[in-house]
Amino acid sequence: ELALALRQAGFIVHSVESRALSLARVVRQLAAGFDPARSYLVLSMDASGLEFLVIRRSQLYFQYFTPWRDVYGGEKEISSEAFANVIIRNFHQVLNFYNSHWSEPLGGVFLSTISMKDEISRIVRENFSLTILELQLQGMEQFAPDWYVAVGSGLRGFSPRHEDRDISLLGISARDEYRREQAINFLNFWRVLVPVSLMVLLVAFVGSDMFLRNRLKFLGAESSLNLGEARVQEIKELQARVADFNNAVGLIQQALSSSRPKTPLFGRMEKLLLEHDINLIRINFQDSDLPVILTGEAASENEIRSFYEAMRADKQFHSVNLPLADIKYGIQEVSFTMTFGVSPSIVE
């Protein structure tokens, strides 16, 4: 009920813990003379009763609480002897529990009380061989012992949620509670944002549609008004030019179709030139009755002779002639000129 009331008031419940956990945190983080590697007893006395804690290696291991109603019984006040007996009896019970579980010696007893501090210290020294340590908070000397539990809870509130691994009576950890609240806030945000975004997009689409429709009507009316006699005459002249261009293209295609193709010759020549690494410089082909004159260059004379032999071996060529006088040596290449005849079948 308390967690629900705090959540409805706008607060996130960080954690719910006992008095013992808060007091142990104060001792662990702020107590003067506290050694994290040792074990200690903590005796806290306030208006609710007597509370004993066992802190071992900085962690709370045991808590024993005696309310004042169990001490007073039916009496209106407690005598000094009865008070001393309660202190001694509780110490024996706590020490028996500690000695039955652990063997390392206690580092001392931290005493947290506003009244009867000297009386409690005297009772402990006379009956037990324990060191009495007054619980003083470093840097927070202004706080009285009845504020130590609140200070411990405040220390937990200051720690980051992702580092808080202390037990919580809330049922879930502080990190899980924080994630849950963040998820709820995120969903609440999108629950408002999505309808608003859709409404804005709908208004934008309707506005854009109306603007484009009006613009289309305006441009259509403007074009129909501006289309006069001069515009119509210009369109007719452009159509006539298009027709003349199409006629010219047709004449060119007709001329090309009536010419005798020579691509088979060039295809065969290109294949032989590539196979023998010959660079074509010039080729002169006038008619099938006249020899073809080919001028080229290669990297060496061997490539030229290889090309010459391949031309002679090809049945589509005849009268292949490579004059030695036409072989000329340059700085990096050898140029040559050769003549040959072409079979009529390769030209047709």
Side-chain angles (χ1 to χ4, degrees):
E1 290 81 4
L2 180 60
L4 179 60
L6 289 171
R7 190 176 294 110
Q8 292 175 349
F11 293 94
I12 297 177
V13 181
H14 183 288
S15 58
V16 178
E17 64 182 11
S18 64
R19 288 167 38 94
L21 282 173
S22 299
L23 189 58
R25 187 178 298 106
V26 168
V27 176
R28 179 173 63 245
Q29 297 185 14
L30 300 178
F34 178 78
D35 186 358
R38 303 192 66 181
S39 301
Y40 296 91
L41 293 183
V42 178
L43 170 58
S44 174
M45 186 179 73
D46 55 16
S48 59
L50 294 173
E51 188 168 21
F52 290 83
L53 307 180
V54 174
I55 298 178
R56 182 172 178 266
R57 298 177 182 176
S58 301
Q59 300 299 325
L60 176 65
Y61 274 77
F62 181 71
Q63 181 258 354
Y64 184 75
F65 178 71
T66 302
W68 287 123
R69 64 175 179 270
D70 295 344
V71 177
Y72 282 99
E75 304 293 334
K76 295 183 178 180
E77 61 181 23
I78 184 173
S79 63
S80 300
E81 183 179 358
F83 177 76
N85 291 332
V86 170
I87 297 293
I88 295 172
R89 183 173 66 252
N90 288 343
F91 256 102
H92 275 298
Q93 292 174 340
V94 174
L95 290 175
N96 289 336
F97 174 84
Y98 179 84
N99 293 328
S100 63
H101 287 79
W102 304 288
S103 59
E104 61 263 24
L106 289 169
V109 179
F110 282 102
L111 182 59
S112 173
T113 179
I114 298 177
S115 60
M116 302 183 68
K117 184 183 304 181
D118 295 336
E119 179 67 15
I120 296 174
S121 299
R122 182 188 62 79
I123 295 173
V124 174
R125 290 192 185 96
E126 291 178 354
N127 295 273
F128 305 96
S129 57
L130 297 173
T131 303
I132 303 299
L133 303 171
E134 184 178 356
L135 183 56
Q136 295 180 349
L137 307 187
Q138 297 177 347
M140 294 187 178
E141 292 80 3
Q142 70 274 19
F143 289 103
D146 52 354
W147 283 93
Y148 287 174
V149 174
V151 172
S153 298
L155 291 175
R156 183 170 188 174
F158 284 127
S159 63
R161 291 184 176 92
H162 65 276
E163 296 179 358
D164 184 13
R165 292 178 173 82
D166 287 345
I167 190 172
S168 174
L169 303 179
L170 189 62
I172 59 176
S173 65
R175 290 181 295 174
D176 295 336
E177 175 67 13
Y178 177 73
R179 293 193 187 101
R180 191 181 71 86
E181 292 294 335
Q182 291 295 103
I184 292 175
N185 294 334
F186 178 79
L187 293 177
N188 289 334
F189 171 75
W190 280 103
R191 186 174 62 181
V192 177
L193 181 62
V194 170
V196 172
S197 301
L198 293 178
M199 184 62 66
V200 171
L201 290 176
L202 179 61
V203 172
F205 288 152
V206 173
S208 301
D209 182 70
M210 296 176 61
F211 172 78
L212 293 176
R213 289 178 180 273
N214 293 332
R215 189 63 180 171
L216 181 61
K217 293 180 180 179
F218 173 77
L219 293 177
E222 185 179 21
S223 61
S224 62
L225 291 175
N226 294 334
L227 189 61
E229 293 294 333
R231 185 65 175 172
V232 172
Q233 185 63 31
E234 182 180 357
I235 292 175
K236 290 181 179 180
E237 292 178 358
L238 291 176
Q239 290 177 346
R241 292 181 183 179
V242 170
D244 294 339
F245 177 78
N246 291 335
N247 292 332
V249 172
L251 292 175
I252 293 173
Q253 291 178 347
Q254 185 177 1
L256 291 175
S257 62
S258 62
S259 63
R260 299 176 64 186
K262 300 176 182 180
T263 53
L265 169 63
F266 294 129
R268 186 177 295 274
M269 289 298 303
E270 182 182 9
K271 179 179 179 182
L272 293 175
L273 290 170
L274 292 174
E275 289 178 354
H276 300 280
D277 294 330
I278 303 298
N279 294 327
L280 179 63
I281 303 300
R282 186 184 304 107
I283 184 169
N284 187 359
F285 179 72
Q286 296 181 356
D287 198 350
S288 60
D289 297 333
L290 298 176
V292 180
I293 303 174
L294 184 146
T295 302
E297 63 181 14
S300 64
E301 184 179 350
N302 292 333
E303 294 175 348
I304 297 175
R305 290 188 180 276
S306 176
F307 176 66
Y308 169 70
E309 296 296 336
M311 291 287 291
R312 293 185 60 186
D314 196 322
K315 296 180 180 181
Q316 300 297 333
F317 303 104
H318 61 84
S319 303
V320 181
N321 185 22
L322 177 62
L324 296 179
D326 291 336
I327 299 177
K328 299 178 181 180
Y329 295 88
I331 298 176
Q332 295 182 350
E333 69 281 335
V334 181
S335 61
F336 67 95
T337 301
M338 65 185 304
T339 61
F340 57 88
V342 181
S343 300
S345 60
I346 196 174
V347 180
E348 295 301 332

